[in-house]
């Protein structure tokens, strides 16, 4: 028996696998079908990309595409949850995609070993086929975040941006098609200030739990956005402080002078 709805259908094995989720108050077969029909591109298959993609794939995200040009190193294994010691030296994007397909054979996962930029974005995001439903920024430096934000604004693709460093993290979900502001509206000055003195996990350190928490807060927002078509972070920046065990929300507004999104 299958359940057919306008957006597609769930197979018996999907109904079985996602039973606890479909049972959830506020999450029904329609939500599961929307998740099944969604395509998400994850940029960065590291500390954030591993837990975020794993939870989304376990939850039933239909198509996931990981983009990363890095290879797995021994120092990654402390937090990059899709990798094993035997994977050292392999490309992260492809190894992560292989692991995700083992975790959930009912979904589609593929990895591209490349560095996303404004010139190759149209091709790497498969824009000729369809526009991705959501971009996940799981990278670890401001310069790349700025490029991903420009791509999100240019092609009007929602951007769920997470960051994690030491014992702190940040999360925001930008919807350029709704004109609610962009990453540059919030962090514009930070991008400029920190470009010369950049903090990354490579030089500042990160606790294993920080990336696990932020990657899963990211998947929590993505599931609501894709399954329930709700943005739980509209014009809000989530700040996580792992030392104090505190989470708070900070409001932001679109910068009318923003050089990235003001003309859109
Ligand atoms: Zn902006």
């Amino acid at each position: 028996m299958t359940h057919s709805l306008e957006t597609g259908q769930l197979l018996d094995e999907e109904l079985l696998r996602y039973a606890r989720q479909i049972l959830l108050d506020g999450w029904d077969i329609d939500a599961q079908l929307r998740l099944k029909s969604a395509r998400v591109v994850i940029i960065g298959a590291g500390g954030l990309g591993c837990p975020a993609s794993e939870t989304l794939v376990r939850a039933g995200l239909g198509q996931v595409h990981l983009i990363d040009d890095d290879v797995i190193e021994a120092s990654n294994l402390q937090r990059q949850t899709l990798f094993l010691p035997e994977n050292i030296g392999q490309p992260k994007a492809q190894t992560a995609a292989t692991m995700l397909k083992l975790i959930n054979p009912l979904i589609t996962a593929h990895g591209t070993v490349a560095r996303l930029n404004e010139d190759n974005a149209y091709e790497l995001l498969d824009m000729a086929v369809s526009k991705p439903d959501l971009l996940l920024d799981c990278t670890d430096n401001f310069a790349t975040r700025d490029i991903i934000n420009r791509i999100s604004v240019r092609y009007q693709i929602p951007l769920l941006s997470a960051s994690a460093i030491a014992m702190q993290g940040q999360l925001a979900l930008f919807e350029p098609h709704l004109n609610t502001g962009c990453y540059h509206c919030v962090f514009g000055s930070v991008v400029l200030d920190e470009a010369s003195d950049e903090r990354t996990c490579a030089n500042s350190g990160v606790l294993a739990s920080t990336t696990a928490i932020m990657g899963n807060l990211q998947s929590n927002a993505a599931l609501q956005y894709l399954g329930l078509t709700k943005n739980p972070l509209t014009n809000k920046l989530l700040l996580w402080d792992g030392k104090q065990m505190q989470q708070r929300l900070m409001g932001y507004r679109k910068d009318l002078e923003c050089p990235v999104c003001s003309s859109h």
Side-chain angles (χ1 to χ4, degrees):
M1 186 184 72
T2 56
H3 291 246
S4 288
L5 286 171
E6 284 176 16
T7 44
Q9 55 184 207
L10 291 179
L11 308 170
D12 279 351
E13 53 192 327
E14 292 172 320
L15 288 169
L16 191 64
R17 181 180 271 257
Y18 309 128
R20 296 298 179 276
Q21 200 158 278
I22 294 166
L23 194 65
L24 194 62
D25 191 21
W27 186 282
D28 53 15
I29 287 180
D30 281 347
Q32 197 64 47
L33 282 168
R34 279 192 288 270
L35 189 61
K36 181 183 176 180
S37 69
R39 180 164 79 89
V40 170
V41 177
I42 299 180
I43 305 119
L48 294 166
C50 284
S53 62
E54 181 178 343
T55 299
L56 289 172
V57 158
R58 285 188 187 276
L61 169 66
Q63 295 180 60
V64 62
H65 178 194
L66 296 137
I67 300 174
D68 196 309
D69 68 342
D70 217 356
V71 296
I72 299 158
E73 297 177 22
S75 64
N76 299 149
L77 299 177
Q78 162 249 18
R79 66 195 179 284
Q80 300 188 10
T81 51
L82 293 173
F83 307 137
L84 304 171
E86 67 200 51
N87 300 130
I88 289 171
Q90 295 173 358
K92 290 184 182 181
Q94 287 173 345
T95 303
T98 300
M99 189 62 90
L100 293 171
K101 279 184 281 191
L102 287 171
I103 288 168
N104 188 351
L106 302 176
I107 59 93
T108 303
H110 71 279
T112 302
V113 183
R115 181 173 285 257
L116 184 69
N117 60 46
E118 288 185 81
D119 293 331
N120 64 18
Y122 189 88
E123 187 187 351
L124 284 187
L125 299 180
D126 293 321
M127 292 289 294
V129 179
S130 68
K131 195 193 279 197
D133 295 290
L134 186 63
L135 297 181
L136 261 62
D137 182 348
C138 296
T139 62
D140 67 352
N141 67 83
F142 287 111
T144 311
R145 287 179 189 288
D146 192 51
I147 290 169
I148 295 169
N149 181 55
R150 286 171 193 276
I151 292 167
S152 156
V153 171
R154 178 172 171 186
Y155 295 112
Q156 301 281 286
I157 308 170
L159 171 62
L160 178 55
S161 178
S163 67
I165 203 148
M167 293 180 74
Q168 295 180 324
Q170 296 172 338
L171 184 68
L173 175 45
F174 304 104
E175 295 179 273
H177 57 294
L178 299 181
N179 215 19
T180 53
C182 75
Y183 186 86
H184 199 279
C185 291
V186 182
F187 295 102
S189 56
V190 178
V191 172
L192 296 175
D193 293 347
E194 305 246 349
S196 57
D197 182 28
E198 190 171 51
R199 291 176 72 209
T200 67
C201 293
N203 61 32
S204 297
V206 63
L207 198 67
S209 51
T210 309
T211 45
I213 289 165
M214 294 314 300
N216 273 305
L217 283 173
Q218 196 174 21
S219 62
N220 184 74
L223 287 175
Q224 291 184 67
Y225 190 70
L226 298 168
L228 305 177
T229 63
K230 281 182 189 162
N231 180 353
L233 290 171
T234 302
N235 286 108
K236 290 191 188 87
L237 176 68
L238 184 154
L239 302 166
W240 163 254
D241 180 341
K243 221 177 242 182
Q244 303 297 328
M245 300 290 279
Q246 280 181 344
Q247 177 181 302
R248 62 192 180 95
L249 296 174
M250 199 181 84
Y252 69 83
R253 285 185 189 163
K254 179 182 171 76
D255 175 3
L256 298 175
E257 308 281 298
C258 175
V260 178
C261 74
S262 63
S263 61
H264 283 265

